[in-house]
Amino acid sequence: MKTRFYALFATLALTISGAHADDVIVDQIDKTFVIDGTEVESLTVSAGDSVSFRNSDPFFHNIFSLSATQIFDLGSYPSGESRSVSFDKPGLVEVECAIHPDMYMTIEVE
Ligand SMILES: [Cu+2]
C-alpha cells in the first residue's frame, strides 16, 4: 500500500515538472537566426514553450509567420530589443523577416 502511494507521488511529481514551459532565445545576427552562437535553420520546441526573438543586429527586424500552426507578426523592432511568441499547437511553423526576405527558419512544435 505504502509503495503504491510513493509510486503515485513520483508520477505526480514527473507530471508537474513535465509541464514546465521553456523559453528559447533566438538571436538575429548578420540577418541569420542564431542560438547560443550557432546559426540555425530549424528548432524543435514543445507545445507551451515560448521563443524570444532578440535583435542583435544594428538595424530593424520584423519577424513573422504565416503558417497555420501559429500565425504571428512581431512588428518592426530595433537593435537590442526582444519580442517573444508562445507556441501552443503542435505542427510546423515557418519563420521569416518582413524586412529581409532571405531570413528563414522553421520551428517544429511537438
Ligand atoms: Cu530582418
Side-chain angles (χ1 to χ4, degrees):
M1 194 63 188
K2 219 170 195 177
T3 316
R4 201 179 291 173
F5 173 77
Y6 284 121
L8 179 70
F9 183 76
T11 307
L12 191 66
L14 267 178
T15 307
I16 291 168
S17 66
H20 173 76
D22 281 327
D23 182 59
V24 183
I25 296 172
V26 176
D27 253 316
Q28 294 138 76
I29 301 173
D30 292 335
K31 299 180 195 173
T32 61
F33 294 106
V34 174
I35 297 175
D36 290 331
T38 304
E39 186 180 335
V40 295
E41 290 175 347
S42 62
L43 165 69
T44 302
V45 300
S46 300
D49 286 352
S50 59
V51 175
S52 290
F53 292 94
R54 181 167 65 198
N55 183 355
S56 294
D57 271 326
F59 40 80
F60 282 72
H61 287 293
N62 183 347
I63 305 305
F64 74 97
S65 177
L66 296 175
S67 297
T69 303
Q70 182 86 44
I71 295 171
F72 66 89
D73 182 359
L74 297 182
S76 182
Y77 56 102
S79 181
E81 209 171 285
S82 265
R83 293 192 182 173
S84 82
V85 188
S86 66
F87 295 94
D88 302 319
K89 263 194 297 177
L92 189 75
V93 181
E94 294 183 292
V95 178
E96 300 171 77
C97 175
I99 303 169
H100 308 104
D102 287 344
M103 292 179 70
Y104 176 82
M105 76 175 289
T106 56
I107 296 177
E108 178 75 44
V109 185
E110 291 183 327

Short mmCIF file of all heavy atoms in Angstrom, two decimals, residues 45-101:
data_model
loop_
_atom_site.label_atom_id
_atom_site.label_comp_id
_atom_site.label_asym_id
_atom_site.label_seq_id
_atom_site.Cartn_x
_atom_site.Cartn_y
_atom_site.Cartn_z
N VAL A 45 10.64 22.69 -30.46
CA VAL A 45 10.21 23.06 -29.12
C VAL A 45 9.01 22.19 -28.73
O VAL A 45 8.46 21.48 -29.58
CB VAL A 45 9.82 24.56 -29.03
CG1 VAL A 45 11.00 25.46 -29.38
CG2 VAL A 45 8.61 24.88 -29.90
N SER A 46 8.62 22.25 -27.48
CA SER A 46 7.43 21.55 -27.03
C SER A 46 6.26 22.52 -26.97
O SER A 46 6.46 23.72 -26.71
CB SER A 46 7.65 20.97 -25.63
OG SER A 46 8.74 20.07 -25.64
N ALA A 47 5.06 22.01 -27.21
CA ALA A 47 3.87 22.85 -27.11
C ALA A 47 3.85 23.51 -25.73
O ALA A 47 4.11 22.86 -24.71
CB ALA A 47 2.62 22.02 -27.33
N GLY A 48 3.60 24.79 -25.70
CA GLY A 48 3.62 25.55 -24.44
C GLY A 48 4.89 26.36 -24.26
O GLY A 48 4.94 27.30 -23.48
N ASP A 49 5.95 25.99 -25.00
CA ASP A 49 7.21 26.73 -24.92
C ASP A 49 7.08 28.08 -25.64
O ASP A 49 6.24 28.25 -26.52
CB ASP A 49 8.36 25.96 -25.60
CG ASP A 49 8.82 24.77 -24.77
OD1 ASP A 49 8.36 24.63 -23.62
OD2 ASP A 49 9.63 23.98 -25.30
N SER A 50 7.96 29.00 -25.27
CA SER A 50 7.99 30.26 -25.99
C SER A 50 9.37 30.48 -26.58
O SER A 50 10.36 29.88 -26.14
CB SER A 50 7.60 31.42 -25.08
OG SER A 50 8.47 31.50 -23.99
N VAL A 51 9.43 31.31 -27.60
CA VAL A 51 10.70 31.67 -28.23
C VAL A 51 10.82 33.19 -28.22
O VAL A 51 9.90 33.89 -28.62
CB VAL A 51 10.77 31.15 -29.69
CG1 VAL A 51 12.04 31.64 -30.38
CG2 VAL A 51 10.71 29.62 -29.73
N SER A 52 11.95 33.68 -27.69
CA SER A 52 12.22 35.11 -27.71
C SER A 52 13.15 35.41 -28.88
O SER A 52 14.25 34.86 -28.96
CB SER A 52 12.90 35.55 -26.41
OG SER A 52 11.99 35.48 -25.34
N PHE A 53 12.69 36.26 -29.78
CA PHE A 53 13.50 36.65 -30.92
C PHE A 53 14.21 37.95 -30.56
O PHE A 53 13.58 39.01 -30.46
CB PHE A 53 12.62 36.83 -32.17
CG PHE A 53 12.03 35.54 -32.67
CD1 PHE A 53 10.76 35.13 -32.26
CD2 PHE A 53 12.76 34.72 -33.51
CE1 PHE A 53 10.22 33.93 -32.71
CE2 PHE A 53 12.23 33.51 -33.96
CZ PHE A 53 10.96 33.12 -33.56
N ARG A 54 15.51 37.85 -30.35
CA ARG A 54 16.30 39.01 -29.91
C ARG A 54 17.04 39.62 -31.11
O ARG A 54 17.72 38.92 -31.86
CB ARG A 54 17.33 38.54 -28.86
CG ARG A 54 18.20 39.67 -28.31
CD ARG A 54 18.93 39.23 -27.07
NE ARG A 54 19.88 38.16 -27.34
CZ ARG A 54 20.40 37.37 -26.39
NH1 ARG A 54 20.06 37.51 -25.14
NH2 ARG A 54 21.27 36.43 -26.70
N ASN A 55 16.87 40.91 -31.27
CA ASN A 55 17.53 41.59 -32.38
C ASN A 55 18.93 42.07 -31.94
O ASN A 55 19.06 43.05 -31.23
CB ASN A 55 16.68 42.79 -32.84
CG ASN A 55 17.30 43.47 -34.04
OD1 ASN A 55 18.40 43.13 -34.47
ND2 ASN A 55 16.58 44.45 -34.58
N SER A 56 19.97 41.35 -32.38
CA SER A 56 21.35 41.73 -32.06
C SER A 56 22.04 42.39 -33.23
O SER A 56 23.26 42.53 -33.26
CB SER A 56 22.14 40.50 -31.59
OG SER A 56 21.61 40.01 -30.37
N ASP A 57 21.27 42.76 -34.25
CA ASP A 57 21.82 43.48 -35.40
C ASP A 57 21.66 44.99 -35.17
O ASP A 57 20.81 45.41 -34.40
CB ASP A 57 21.07 43.08 -36.69
CG ASP A 57 21.71 41.88 -37.37
OD1 ASP A 57 22.95 41.74 -37.30
OD2 ASP A 57 20.96 41.08 -37.97
N PRO A 58 22.48 45.79 -35.86
CA PRO A 58 22.37 47.26 -35.68
C PRO A 58 21.26 47.88 -36.53
O PRO A 58 21.31 49.07 -36.82
CB PRO A 58 23.77 47.75 -36.10
CG PRO A 58 24.25 46.73 -37.07
CD PRO A 58 23.64 45.40 -36.67
N PHE A 59 20.29 47.07 -36.96
CA PHE A 59 19.17 47.59 -37.75
C PHE A 59 17.91 46.83 -37.36
O PHE A 59 17.96 45.89 -36.58
CB PHE A 59 19.46 47.44 -39.26
CG PHE A 59 20.14 46.16 -39.64
CD1 PHE A 59 19.41 44.99 -39.77
CD2 PHE A 59 21.52 46.11 -39.86
CE1 PHE A 59 20.03 43.79 -40.13
CE2 PHE A 59 22.15 44.92 -40.21
CZ PHE A 59 21.41 43.77 -40.34
N PHE A 60 16.77 47.24 -37.89
CA PHE A 60 15.47 46.66 -37.52
C PHE A 60 15.24 45.28 -38.14
O PHE A 60 15.75 44.99 -39.22
CB PHE A 60 14.33 47.58 -37.99
CG PHE A 60 14.12 48.78 -37.11
CD1 PHE A 60 15.03 49.83 -37.10
CD2 PHE A 60 13.00 48.88 -36.29
CE1 PHE A 60 14.83 50.95 -36.29
CE2 PHE A 60 12.79 49.98 -35.48
CZ PHE A 60 13.70 51.02 -35.47
N HIS A 61 14.48 44.46 -37.43
CA HIS A 61 13.92 43.22 -37.99
C HIS A 61 12.43 43.21 -37.72
O HIS A 61 11.95 43.89 -36.81
CB HIS A 61 14.56 41.98 -37.36
CG HIS A 61 15.97 41.71 -37.79
ND1 HIS A 61 16.31 41.35 -39.07
CD2 HIS A 61 17.13 41.76 -37.10
CE1 HIS A 61 17.63 41.18 -39.15
NE2 HIS A 61 18.16 41.43 -37.96
N ASN A 62 11.72 42.41 -38.50
CA ASN A 62 10.27 42.22 -38.29
C ASN A 62 9.94 40.75 -38.52
O ASN A 62 9.69 40.32 -39.64
CB ASN A 62 9.49 43.11 -39.26
CG ASN A 62 7.97 43.01 -39.04
OD1 ASN A 62 7.47 42.12 -38.35
ND2 ASN A 62 7.24 43.91 -39.64
N ILE A 63 9.97 40.00 -37.43
CA ILE A 63 9.80 38.54 -37.50
C ILE A 63 8.30 38.19 -37.53
O ILE A 63 7.52 38.75 -36.76
CB ILE A 63 10.49 37.87 -36.28
CG1 ILE A 63 11.96 38.29 -36.20
CG2 ILE A 63 10.34 36.36 -36.35
CD1 ILE A 63 12.77 38.04 -37.45
N PHE A 64 7.96 37.30 -38.45
CA PHE A 64 6.55 36.91 -38.57
C PHE A 64 6.43 35.49 -39.09
O PHE A 64 7.40 34.90 -39.57
CB PHE A 64 5.80 37.88 -39.51
CG PHE A 64 6.15 37.66 -40.98
CD1 PHE A 64 5.31 36.90 -41.78
CD2 PHE A 64 7.31 38.19 -41.53
CE1 PHE A 64 5.63 36.68 -43.13
CE2 PHE A 64 7.63 37.99 -42.88
CZ PHE A 64 6.79 37.23 -43.67
N SER A 65 5.19 34.95 -39.01
CA SER A 65 4.90 33.66 -39.63
C SER A 65 3.49 33.66 -40.17
O SER A 65 2.57 34.19 -39.54
CB SER A 65 5.05 32.52 -38.63
OG SER A 65 4.68 31.30 -39.27
N LEU A 66 3.34 33.05 -41.35
CA LEU A 66 2.02 32.89 -41.95
C LEU A 66 1.56 31.43 -41.87
O LEU A 66 0.55 31.07 -42.45
CB LEU A 66 2.05 33.36 -43.42
CG LEU A 66 2.34 34.84 -43.65
CD1 LEU A 66 2.46 35.14 -45.14
CD2 LEU A 66 1.25 35.70 -43.02
N SER A 67 2.33 30.60 -41.13
CA SER A 67 1.97 29.18 -41.02
C SER A 67 0.70 29.02 -40.18
O SER A 67 0.57 29.65 -39.12
CB SER A 67 3.10 28.40 -40.35
OG SER A 67 4.26 28.46 -41.13
N ALA A 68 -0.18 28.15 -40.64
CA ALA A 68 -1.47 27.94 -39.95
C ALA A 68 -1.27 27.50 -38.50
O ALA A 68 -2.09 27.81 -37.64
CB ALA A 68 -2.30 26.91 -40.71
N THR A 69 -0.18 26.79 -38.23
CA THR A 69 0.10 26.33 -36.86
C THR A 69 0.16 27.50 -35.89
O THR A 69 -0.34 27.42 -34.77
CB THR A 69 1.44 25.57 -36.81
OG1 THR A 69 1.38 24.48 -37.74
CG2 THR A 69 1.74 25.03 -35.42
N GLN A 70 0.79 28.60 -36.32
CA GLN A 70 0.95 29.75 -35.44
C GLN A 70 1.20 31.00 -36.29
O GLN A 70 2.34 31.27 -36.69
CB GLN A 70 2.13 29.51 -34.49
CG GLN A 70 2.38 30.61 -33.49
CD GLN A 70 1.54 30.48 -32.24
OE1 GLN A 70 1.40 29.40 -31.69
NE2 GLN A 70 0.97 31.55 -31.79
N ILE A 71 0.14 31.72 -36.56
CA ILE A 71 0.29 32.96 -37.31
C ILE A 71 0.65 34.07 -36.32
O ILE A 71 0.00 34.21 -35.29
CB ILE A 71 -1.01 33.32 -38.05
CG1 ILE A 71 -1.30 32.26 -39.12
CG2 ILE A 71 -0.92 34.72 -38.67
CD1 ILE A 71 -2.66 32.40 -39.78
N PHE A 72 1.74 34.80 -36.60
CA PHE A 72 2.10 35.92 -35.73
C PHE A 72 2.90 36.97 -36.51
O PHE A 72 3.43 36.68 -37.58
CB PHE A 72 2.89 35.46 -34.50
CG PHE A 72 4.26 34.88 -34.80
CD1 PHE A 72 5.38 35.71 -34.85
CD2 PHE A 72 4.43 33.53 -35.03
CE1 PHE A 72 6.65 35.20 -35.13
CE2 PHE A 72 5.69 33.00 -35.32
CZ PHE A 72 6.80 33.83 -35.35
N ASP A 73 2.94 38.16 -35.95
CA ASP A 73 3.73 39.25 -36.53
C ASP A 73 4.26 40.09 -35.37
O ASP A 73 3.48 40.74 -34.67
CB ASP A 73 2.84 40.10 -37.45
CG ASP A 73 3.63 41.23 -38.12
OD1 ASP A 73 4.86 41.35 -37.86
OD2 ASP A 73 3.02 41.98 -38.90
N LEU A 74 5.57 40.04 -35.15
CA LEU A 74 6.15 40.74 -34.00
C LEU A 74 6.35 42.23 -34.27
O LEU A 74 6.77 42.97 -33.38
CB LEU A 74 7.48 40.09 -33.61
CG LEU A 74 7.39 38.62 -33.15
CD1 LEU A 74 8.76 38.11 -32.73
CD2 LEU A 74 6.39 38.47 -32.02
N GLY A 75 6.05 42.66 -35.50
CA GLY A 75 6.25 44.07 -35.83
C GLY A 75 7.73 44.39 -36.01
O GLY A 75 8.60 43.54 -35.82
N SER A 76 7.99 45.63 -36.38
CA SER A 76 9.35 46.06 -36.64
C SER A 76 9.97 46.55 -35.34
O SER A 76 9.39 47.36 -34.64
CB SER A 76 9.27 47.20 -37.67
OG SER A 76 10.54 47.64 -38.01
N TYR A 77 11.15 46.00 -34.97
CA TYR A 77 11.77 46.43 -33.71
C TYR A 77 13.28 46.54 -33.82
O TYR A 77 13.92 45.84 -34.59
CB TYR A 77 11.34 45.54 -32.54
CG TYR A 77 11.60 44.06 -32.67
CD1 TYR A 77 12.68 43.49 -32.01
CD2 TYR A 77 10.75 43.25 -33.40
CE1 TYR A 77 12.91 42.12 -32.09
CE2 TYR A 77 10.98 41.88 -33.49
CZ TYR A 77 12.05 41.33 -32.83
OH TYR A 77 12.28 39.98 -32.92
N PRO A 78 13.85 47.47 -33.04
CA PRO A 78 15.25 47.86 -33.22
C PRO A 78 16.26 46.95 -32.52
O PRO A 78 15.89 46.07 -31.73
CB PRO A 78 15.29 49.26 -32.59
CG PRO A 78 14.27 49.21 -31.51
CD PRO A 78 13.17 48.30 -32.02
N SER A 79 17.52 47.23 -32.77
CA SER A 79 18.65 46.57 -32.13
C SER A 79 18.48 46.55 -30.61
O SER A 79 18.07 47.53 -30.02
CB SER A 79 19.92 47.36 -32.49
OG SER A 79 21.05 46.75 -31.93
N GLY A 80 18.78 45.40 -30.01
CA GLY A 80 18.76 45.29 -28.56
C GLY A 80 17.42 44.87 -27.99
O GLY A 80 17.32 44.49 -26.84
N GLU A 81 16.37 44.90 -28.83
CA GLU A 81 15.04 44.54 -28.33
C GLU A 81 14.72 43.07 -28.60
O GLU A 81 15.20 42.49 -29.55
CB GLU A 81 14.00 45.44 -29.01
CG GLU A 81 12.76 45.69 -28.16
CD GLU A 81 11.85 46.77 -28.77
OE1 GLU A 81 12.21 47.96 -28.69
OE2 GLU A 81 10.82 46.39 -29.33
N SER A 82 13.89 42.51 -27.71
CA SER A 82 13.44 41.11 -27.85
C SER A 82 11.91 41.08 -27.87
O SER A 82 11.29 41.81 -27.11
CB SER A 82 13.86 40.30 -26.63
OG SER A 82 15.05 39.64 -26.84
N ARG A 83 11.36 40.23 -28.72
CA ARG A 83 9.90 40.01 -28.66
C ARG A 83 9.66 38.52 -28.71
O ARG A 83 10.37 37.79 -29.40
CB ARG A 83 9.20 40.73 -29.81
CG ARG A 83 9.33 42.23 -29.65
CD ARG A 83 8.43 43.02 -30.56
NE ARG A 83 8.66 44.47 -30.35
CZ ARG A 83 8.13 45.43 -31.07
NH1 ARG A 83 7.32 45.13 -32.07
NH2 ARG A 83 8.38 46.69 -30.82
N SER A 84 8.67 38.07 -27.94
CA SER A 84 8.51 36.62 -27.85
C SER A 84 7.13 36.13 -28.28
O SER A 84 6.15 36.87 -28.31
CB SER A 84 8.85 36.14 -26.43
OG SER A 84 7.76 36.33 -25.58
N VAL A 85 7.11 34.86 -28.65
CA VAL A 85 5.90 34.18 -29.11
C VAL A 85 5.79 32.88 -28.34
O VAL A 85 6.79 32.19 -28.15
CB VAL A 85 6.00 33.79 -30.61
CG1 VAL A 85 4.68 33.26 -31.12
CG2 VAL A 85 6.48 34.94 -31.45
N SER A 86 4.59 32.51 -27.89
CA SER A 86 4.47 31.18 -27.30
C SER A 86 3.74 30.28 -28.28
O SER A 86 2.82 30.69 -28.99
CB SER A 86 3.79 31.23 -25.92
OG SER A 86 2.47 31.63 -26.05
N PHE A 87 4.24 29.05 -28.36
CA PHE A 87 3.74 28.08 -29.34
C PHE A 87 2.89 27.03 -28.61
O PHE A 87 3.40 26.27 -27.80
CB PHE A 87 4.91 27.42 -30.07
CG PHE A 87 5.68 28.41 -30.90
CD1 PHE A 87 6.80 29.05 -30.38
CD2 PHE A 87 5.27 28.73 -32.18
CE1 PHE A 87 7.50 29.98 -31.13
CE2 PHE A 87 5.97 29.66 -32.95
CZ PHE A 87 7.08 30.29 -32.42
N ASP A 88 1.60 27.05 -28.89
CA ASP A 88 0.68 26.19 -28.14
C ASP A 88 0.22 24.96 -28.90
O ASP A 88 -0.14 23.96 -28.30
CB ASP A 88 -0.55 27.02 -27.72
CG ASP A 88 -0.14 28.24 -26.88
OD1 ASP A 88 0.75 28.09 -26.03
OD2 ASP A 88 -0.69 29.33 -27.12
N LYS A 89 0.24 25.04 -30.23
CA LYS A 89 -0.27 23.94 -31.06
C LYS A 89 0.88 23.19 -31.72
O LYS A 89 1.79 23.82 -32.26
CB LYS A 89 -1.15 24.50 -32.18
CG LYS A 89 -2.63 24.46 -31.89
CD LYS A 89 -3.43 24.71 -33.17
CE LYS A 89 -3.20 26.08 -33.78
NZ LYS A 89 -3.91 26.30 -35.05
N PRO A 90 0.85 21.86 -31.75
CA PRO A 90 1.89 21.11 -32.46
C PRO A 90 1.80 21.34 -33.97
O PRO A 90 0.70 21.53 -34.50
CB PRO A 90 1.57 19.64 -32.14
CG PRO A 90 0.64 19.67 -30.98
CD PRO A 90 -0.10 20.97 -31.06
N GLY A 91 2.95 21.33 -34.62
CA GLY A 91 2.99 21.49 -36.07
C GLY A 91 4.23 22.26 -36.48
O GLY A 91 5.07 22.61 -35.66
N LEU A 92 4.31 22.53 -37.78
CA LEU A 92 5.47 23.23 -38.31
C LEU A 92 5.18 24.72 -38.47
O LEU A 92 4.10 25.10 -38.92
CB LEU A 92 5.86 22.64 -39.68
CG LEU A 92 7.19 23.13 -40.23
CD1 LEU A 92 8.36 22.48 -39.50
CD2 LEU A 92 7.29 22.83 -41.73
N VAL A 93 6.14 25.55 -38.07
CA VAL A 93 5.99 26.99 -38.20
C VAL A 93 7.17 27.53 -39.01
O VAL A 93 8.33 27.34 -38.65
CB VAL A 93 5.97 27.67 -36.81
CG1 VAL A 93 5.79 29.18 -36.95
CG2 VAL A 93 4.88 27.09 -35.92
N GLU A 94 6.86 28.19 -40.13
CA GLU A 94 7.90 28.81 -40.94
C GLU A 94 8.06 30.26 -40.49
O GLU A 94 7.07 31.01 -40.47
CB GLU A 94 7.52 28.76 -42.42
CG GLU A 94 7.49 27.33 -42.96
CD GLU A 94 7.18 27.29 -44.45
OE1 GLU A 94 6.04 27.64 -44.81
OE2 GLU A 94 8.09 26.95 -45.22
N VAL A 95 9.28 30.64 -40.13
CA VAL A 95 9.54 31.97 -39.57
C VAL A 95 10.34 32.80 -40.58
O VAL A 95 11.35 32.32 -41.12
CB VAL A 95 10.32 31.85 -38.24
CG1 VAL A 95 10.64 33.22 -37.68
CG2 VAL A 95 9.52 31.03 -37.23
N GLU A 96 9.87 34.00 -40.83
CA GLU A 96 10.55 34.88 -41.79
C GLU A 96 10.69 36.29 -41.24
O GLU A 96 10.13 36.61 -40.19
CB GLU A 96 9.72 34.95 -43.09
CG GLU A 96 9.54 33.60 -43.76
CD GLU A 96 8.53 33.68 -44.90
OE1 GLU A 96 8.92 34.18 -45.97
OE2 GLU A 96 7.39 33.26 -44.72
N CYS A 97 11.42 37.13 -41.97
CA CYS A 97 11.54 38.55 -41.61
C CYS A 97 10.97 39.39 -42.75
O CYS A 97 11.33 39.19 -43.91
CB CYS A 97 13.01 38.92 -41.36
SG CYS A 97 13.22 40.69 -41.03
N ALA A 98 10.07 40.30 -42.41
CA ALA A 98 9.41 41.13 -43.43
C ALA A 98 10.38 42.10 -44.09
O ALA A 98 10.12 42.58 -45.20
CB ALA A 98 8.25 41.89 -42.80
N ILE A 99 11.49 42.40 -43.42
CA ILE A 99 12.45 43.38 -43.95
C ILE A 99 13.54 42.69 -44.77
O ILE A 99 14.05 43.24 -45.75
CB ILE A 99 13.07 44.20 -42.79
CG1 ILE A 99 11.95 44.90 -42.00
CG2 ILE A 99 14.08 45.22 -43.32
CD1 ILE A 99 12.40 45.53 -40.69
N HIS A 100 13.90 41.46 -44.37
CA HIS A 100 14.98 40.72 -45.03
C HIS A 100 14.46 39.38 -45.54
O HIS A 100 14.42 38.40 -44.79
CB HIS A 100 16.15 40.52 -44.05
CG HIS A 100 16.60 41.79 -43.40
ND1 HIS A 100 16.29 42.14 -42.11
CD2 HIS A 100 17.31 42.83 -43.92
CE1 HIS A 100 16.81 43.34 -41.83
NE2 HIS A 100 17.43 43.78 -42.91
N PRO A 101 14.05 39.32 -46.81
CA PRO A 101 13.40 38.13 -47.37
C PRO A 101 14.28 36.87 -47.34
O PRO A 101 13.76 35.76 -47.45
CB PRO A 101 13.10 38.52 -48.82
CG PRO A 101 13.20 40.01 -48.85
CD PRO A 101 14.17 40.40 -47.78
#
